[in-house]
Protein backbone atom coordinates (compact mmCIF):
# COMPACT_ATOMS: atom_id res chain seq x y z
CA UNK A 1 0.00 0.00 0.00
CA UNK A 2 1.32 3.41 -0.94
CA UNK A 3 2.23 5.79 1.86
CA UNK A 4 -0.32 8.58 2.20
CA UNK A 5 0.70 12.19 2.08
CA UNK A 6 -0.42 12.62 5.70
CA UNK A 7 2.34 10.28 6.88
CA UNK A 8 5.08 11.81 4.72
CA UNK A 9 8.18 12.52 6.86
CA UNK A 10 8.59 15.91 5.16
CA UNK A 11 4.99 16.85 5.88
CA UNK A 12 5.34 15.74 9.49
CA UNK A 13 8.51 17.81 9.81
CA UNK A 14 6.73 20.89 8.47
CA UNK A 15 3.80 20.28 10.82
CA UNK A 16 6.22 20.10 13.74
CA UNK A 17 7.64 23.48 12.79
CA UNK A 18 4.15 24.87 13.41
CA UNK A 19 3.03 22.76 16.39
CA UNK A 20 6.36 23.29 18.23
CA UNK A 21 6.04 27.02 17.51
CA UNK A 22 9.27 27.33 15.55
CA UNK A 23 7.07 29.12 13.04
CA UNK A 24 3.98 30.47 14.75
CA UNK A 25 1.07 32.84 14.30
CA UNK A 26 1.17 35.73 16.74
CA UNK A 27 -2.48 36.58 17.31
CA UNK A 28 -1.61 39.48 19.60
CA UNK A 29 -0.31 41.74 16.83
CA UNK A 30 -2.40 44.40 15.16
CA UNK A 31 -4.10 42.62 12.20
CA UNK A 32 -3.61 45.74 10.07
CA UNK A 33 0.00 46.33 11.03
CA UNK A 34 2.08 43.41 9.84
CA UNK A 35 2.38 39.67 9.31
CA UNK A 36 1.38 37.29 12.09
CA UNK A 37 3.98 34.66 11.18
CA UNK A 38 6.98 34.72 13.51
CA UNK A 39 10.17 32.67 13.76
CA UNK A 40 12.00 31.42 16.87
CA UNK A 41 15.30 29.71 16.02
CA UNK A 42 16.08 29.03 19.70
CA UNK A 43 13.34 26.39 19.80
CA UNK A 44 15.14 24.55 16.99
CA UNK A 45 18.46 24.54 18.81
CA UNK A 46 16.84 23.23 22.00
CA UNK A 47 15.23 20.28 20.21
CA UNK A 48 17.94 17.85 18.98
CA UNK A 49 15.44 15.56 17.23
CA UNK A 50 13.85 18.41 15.30
CA UNK A 51 17.25 19.91 14.49
CA UNK A 52 18.42 16.56 13.15
CA UNK A 53 15.32 16.32 10.94
CA UNK A 54 15.82 19.84 9.60
CA UNK A 55 19.49 19.21 8.81
CA UNK A 56 18.63 15.95 7.03
CA UNK A 57 16.03 17.77 4.94
CA UNK A 58 18.51 20.58 4.13
CA UNK A 59 21.06 18.01 2.95
CA UNK A 60 18.41 16.36 0.76
CA UNK A 61 17.38 19.73 -0.65
CA UNK A 62 20.97 20.59 -1.64
CA UNK A 63 21.45 17.21 -3.30
CA UNK A 64 18.21 17.38 -5.29
CA UNK A 65 17.90 21.08 -6.16
CA UNK A 66 21.34 22.66 -6.06
CA UNK A 67 23.32 20.41 -8.35
CA UNK A 68 23.89 23.30 -10.75
CA UNK A 69 25.89 25.27 -8.16
CA UNK A 70 29.53 24.38 -7.57
CA UNK A 71 31.28 25.75 -4.49
CA UNK A 72 34.49 25.20 -2.56
CA UNK A 73 33.56 26.47 0.89
CA UNK A 74 30.55 27.32 3.08
CA UNK A 75 30.20 30.73 4.73
CA UNK A 76 27.83 31.32 7.67
CA UNK A 77 26.30 34.81 7.71
CA UNK A 78 25.89 34.95 11.49
CA UNK A 79 25.88 32.89 14.68
CA UNK A 80 22.42 31.41 14.10
CA UNK A 81 23.54 30.24 10.65
CA UNK A 82 26.63 28.39 11.91
CA UNK A 83 24.93 25.07 12.89
CA UNK A 84 23.39 24.78 9.41
CA UNK A 85 26.58 25.86 7.60
CA UNK A 86 28.72 23.55 9.73
CA UNK A 87 26.54 20.52 9.00
CA UNK A 88 26.52 21.26 5.26
CA UNK A 89 30.31 21.73 5.23
CA UNK A 90 30.87 18.46 7.11
CA UNK A 91 28.43 16.46 4.98
CA UNK A 92 29.79 17.77 1.68
CA UNK A 93 33.41 17.78 2.90
CA UNK A 94 33.82 21.49 2.22
CA UNK A 95 35.66 24.14 4.19
CA UNK A 96 33.70 26.20 6.73
CA UNK A 97 34.15 29.97 6.86
CA UNK A 98 32.91 32.40 9.51
CA UNK A 99 32.60 36.16 9.78
CA UNK A 100 34.22 38.16 12.54
CA UNK A 101 31.18 39.21 14.57
CA UNK A 102 28.75 41.37 12.60
CA UNK A 103 31.44 42.58 10.19
CA UNK A 104 32.23 41.26 6.74
CA UNK A 105 35.77 40.24 7.71
CA UNK A 106 36.52 36.55 7.37
CA UNK A 107 38.09 34.55 10.19
CA UNK A 108 39.89 32.31 7.68
CA UNK A 109 42.04 32.91 4.62
CA UNK A 110 40.31 33.20 1.25
CA UNK A 111 42.00 31.65 -1.75
CA UNK A 112 41.78 33.28 -5.19
CA UNK A 113 39.01 31.89 -7.43
CA UNK A 114 37.25 30.21 -4.50
CA UNK A 115 33.52 29.78 -4.95
CA UNK A 116 31.59 30.40 -1.76
CA UNK A 117 28.08 29.29 -0.73
CA UNK A 118 26.56 31.71 1.79
CA UNK A 119 24.21 30.09 4.32
CA UNK A 120 21.61 32.22 6.14
CA UNK A 121 19.14 30.88 8.71
CA UNK A 122 16.74 33.75 7.86
CA UNK A 123 17.09 37.34 6.64
CA UNK A 124 16.19 39.62 9.54
CA UNK A 125 16.50 43.11 8.09
CA UNK A 126 18.66 45.80 6.55
CA UNK A 127 21.75 44.90 8.60
CA UNK A 128 21.84 41.45 7.00
CA UNK A 129 21.62 42.94 3.51
CA UNK A 130 24.46 45.32 4.36
CA UNK A 131 26.65 42.43 5.52
CA UNK A 132 25.80 40.43 2.39
CA UNK A 133 26.78 43.38 0.17
CA UNK A 134 30.03 43.80 2.11
CA UNK A 135 30.78 40.08 1.75
CA UNK A 136 30.28 40.25 -2.03
CA UNK A 137 32.66 43.24 -2.28
CA UNK A 138 35.27 41.58 -0.10
CA UNK A 139 35.15 38.36 -2.13
CA UNK A 140 35.68 40.36 -5.33
CA UNK A 141 38.70 41.98 -3.72
CA UNK A 142 40.20 38.50 -3.28
CA UNK A 143 39.17 37.45 -6.81
CA UNK A 144 36.70 34.99 -5.29
CA UNK A 145 33.03 34.47 -6.12
CA UNK A 146 29.78 34.22 -4.18
CA UNK A 147 28.46 31.18 -6.02
CA UNK A 148 25.10 31.00 -4.29
CA UNK A 149 22.95 31.85 -1.27
CA UNK A 150 21.02 29.28 0.73
CA UNK A 151 18.28 30.61 3.03
CA UNK A 152 17.01 28.00 5.49
CA UNK A 153 13.78 29.84 6.44
CA UNK A 154 12.47 32.26 3.81
CA UNK A 155 9.86 34.58 5.32
CA UNK A 156 8.52 35.39 1.83
CA UNK A 157 8.32 39.13 2.45
CA UNK A 158 10.56 40.22 -0.40
CA UNK A 159 13.89 38.66 0.57
CA UNK A 160 14.04 36.53 -2.60
CA UNK A 161 13.56 39.62 -4.78
CA UNK A 162 16.33 41.54 -3.03
CA UNK A 163 18.76 38.63 -2.91
CA UNK A 164 18.34 37.57 -6.54
CA UNK A 165 19.02 41.17 -7.53
CA UNK A 166 22.46 40.67 -5.97
CA UNK A 167 23.11 37.12 -7.21
CA UNK A 168 20.81 34.90 -9.32
CA UNK A 169 21.61 31.61 -7.56
CA UNK A 170 19.39 31.90 -4.47
CA UNK A 171 17.65 28.92 -2.87
CA UNK A 172 15.31 28.68 0.12
CA UNK A 173 14.63 25.43 1.96
CA UNK A 174 11.55 26.29 4.00
CA UNK A 175 9.15 28.88 2.59
CA UNK A 176 6.80 30.68 4.99
CA UNK A 177 4.23 30.83 2.19
CA UNK A 178 4.33 27.06 1.80
CA UNK A 179 4.27 26.53 5.57
CA UNK A 180 1.29 28.88 5.90
CA UNK A 181 -0.56 26.97 3.16
CA UNK A 182 0.27 23.65 4.79
CA UNK A 183 -0.83 24.89 8.23
CA UNK A 184 -4.16 26.12 6.90
CA UNK A 185 -4.86 22.94 4.91
CA UNK A 186 -4.10 20.79 7.96
CA UNK A 187 -6.19 22.87 10.38
CA UNK A 188 -3.14 24.29 12.17
CA UNK A 189 -3.98 27.87 11.23
CA UNK A 190 -7.23 29.80 11.10
CA UNK A 191 -8.50 31.39 7.92
CA UNK A 192 -7.91 34.79 9.51
CA UNK A 193 -4.21 34.07 10.16
CA UNK A 194 -3.88 32.52 6.71
CA UNK A 195 -5.41 35.50 4.89
CA UNK A 196 -3.53 37.99 7.06
CA UNK A 197 -0.13 36.51 6.30
CA UNK A 198 -0.87 36.04 2.59
CA UNK A 199 -1.96 39.67 2.27
CA UNK A 200 1.15 40.96 3.99
CA UNK A 201 3.47 38.67 2.03
CA UNK A 202 2.05 39.74 -1.34
CA UNK A 203 2.16 43.39 -0.30
CA UNK A 204 5.84 43.22 0.70
CA UNK A 205 6.90 41.28 -2.39
CA UNK A 206 5.13 43.77 -4.69
CA UNK A 207 6.76 46.62 -2.80
CA UNK A 208 10.24 45.15 -3.32
CA UNK A 209 9.52 44.54 -7.02
CA UNK A 210 8.43 48.17 -7.44
CA UNK A 211 11.61 49.38 -5.67
CA UNK A 212 13.72 47.11 -7.86
CA UNK A 213 12.14 48.41 -11.07
CA UNK A 214 12.64 52.00 -9.94
CA UNK A 215 16.30 51.30 -9.16
CA UNK A 216 16.83 49.63 -12.55
CA UNK A 217 15.07 52.49 -14.38
CA UNK A 218 17.23 55.01 -12.53
CA UNK A 219 20.44 53.15 -13.41
CA UNK A 220 19.48 52.83 -17.09
CA UNK A 221 18.10 56.34 -17.47
CA UNK A 222 20.26 58.31 -19.94
CA UNK A 223 22.02 61.41 -18.66
CA UNK A 224 20.11 64.29 -20.24
CA UNK A 225 21.92 67.01 -18.35
CA UNK A 226 23.94 69.51 -20.36
CA UNK A 227 27.54 68.57 -19.72
CA UNK A 228 29.02 71.45 -21.68
CA UNK A 229 30.59 74.25 -19.74
CA UNK A 230 28.67 77.56 -19.90
CA UNK A 231 30.28 80.28 -22.00
CA UNK A 232 32.00 83.05 -20.12
CA UNK A 233 29.88 86.12 -19.82
CA UNK A 234 31.34 89.23 -21.39
Amino acid sequence: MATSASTSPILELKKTLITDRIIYFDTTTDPLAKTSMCYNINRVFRNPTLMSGILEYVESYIEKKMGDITFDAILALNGNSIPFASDIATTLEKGLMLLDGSSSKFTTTIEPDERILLVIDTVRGEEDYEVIDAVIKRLKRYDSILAGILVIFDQDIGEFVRLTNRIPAVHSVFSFNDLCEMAYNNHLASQFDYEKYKFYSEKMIKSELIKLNVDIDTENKPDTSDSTEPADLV
Side-chain angles (χ1 to χ4, degrees):
M1 181 182 294
T3 303
S4 64
S6 61
T7 59
S8 163
I10 295 175
L11 178 59
E12 291 304 316
L13 174 62
K14 291 180 178 181
K15 283 183 178 180
T16 303
L17 290 174
I18 302 295
T19 57
D20 282 18
R21 291 179 61 79
I22 311 303
I23 312 296
Y24 61 96
F25 295 89
D26 185 358
T27 57
T28 63
T29 58
D30 180 354
L32 300 178
K34 62 176 185 176
T35 179
S36 62
M37 287 194 81
C38 305
Y39 166 66
N40 190 338
I41 188 63
N42 293 325
R43 290 193 174 105
V44 175
F45 296 150
R46 291 177 62 86
N47 187 331
T49 302
L50 177 59
M51 185 64 175
S52 177
I54 291 174
L55 293 175
E56 185 176 336
Y57 183 61
V58 170
E59 293 167 11
S60 173
Y61 180 94
I62 293 174
E63 180 182 354
K64 293 178 180 178
K65 299 188 178 183
M66 294 180 61
D68 58 328
I69 302 178
T70 57
F71 45 88
D72 307 301
I74 315 294
L75 172 64
L77 181 71
N78 50 39
N80 286 337
S81 305
I82 290 175
F84 303 103
S86 177
D87 179 78
I88 295 169
T90 301
T91 301
L92 300 180
E93 298 182 346
K94 304 289 184 180
L96 176 64
M97 300 172 60
L98 305 176
L99 295 177
D100 184 9
S102 61
S103 71
S104 62
K105 296 180 180 179
F106 303 108
T107 59
T108 52
T109 303
I110 305 173
E111 300 296 333
D113 298 323
E114 266 195 315
R115 298 177 61 84
I116 308 299
L117 174 67
L118 178 63
V119 175
I120 309 171
D121 70 311
T122 194
V123 180
R124 288 177 173 78
E126 292 301 324
E127 289 186 3
D128 282 351
Y129 291 114
E130 291 172 4
V131 174
I132 292 168
D133 288 339
V135 164
I136 294 173
K137 290 180 182 179
R138 189 169 289 272
L139 287 173
K140 287 181 178 178
R141 191 182 307 167
Y142 288 97
D143 294 324
S144 297
I145 301 169
L146 184 60
I149 297 176
L150 178 64
V151 181
I152 307 301
F153 292 97
D154 182 1
Q155 299 182 52
D156 284 309
I157 51 175
E159 308 99 314
F160 195 81
V161 175
R162 296 184 67 171
L163 292 175
T164 51
N165 188 39
R166 290 163 167 79
I167 171 174
V170 178
H171 288 263
S172 58
V173 181
F174 295 100
S175 158
F176 271 33
N177 251 320
D178 290 344
L179 290 171
C180 181
E181 194 90 30
M182 180 279 302
Y184 178 67
N185 290 336
N186 288 274
H187 311 292
L188 300 175
S190 67
Q191 184 172 357
F192 173 78
D193 284 332
Y194 172 80
E195 296 291 348
K196 178 181 171 184
Y197 171 73
K198 288 289 187 178
F199 173 80
Y200 181 76
S201 173
E202 291 173 5
K203 176 183 175 182
M204 293 301 294
I205 291 173
K206 287 179 181 178
S207 175
E208 292 300 338
L209 286 170
I210 291 171
K211 289 178 186 176
L212 177 60
N213 288 334
V214 169
D215 290 342
I216 292 175
D217 290 343
T218 302
E219 291 176 2
N220 296 335
K221 186 177 180 180
D223 184 6
T224 57
S225 62
D226 188 356
S227 60
T228 59
E229 294 292 332
D232 293 335
L233 297 177
V234 178

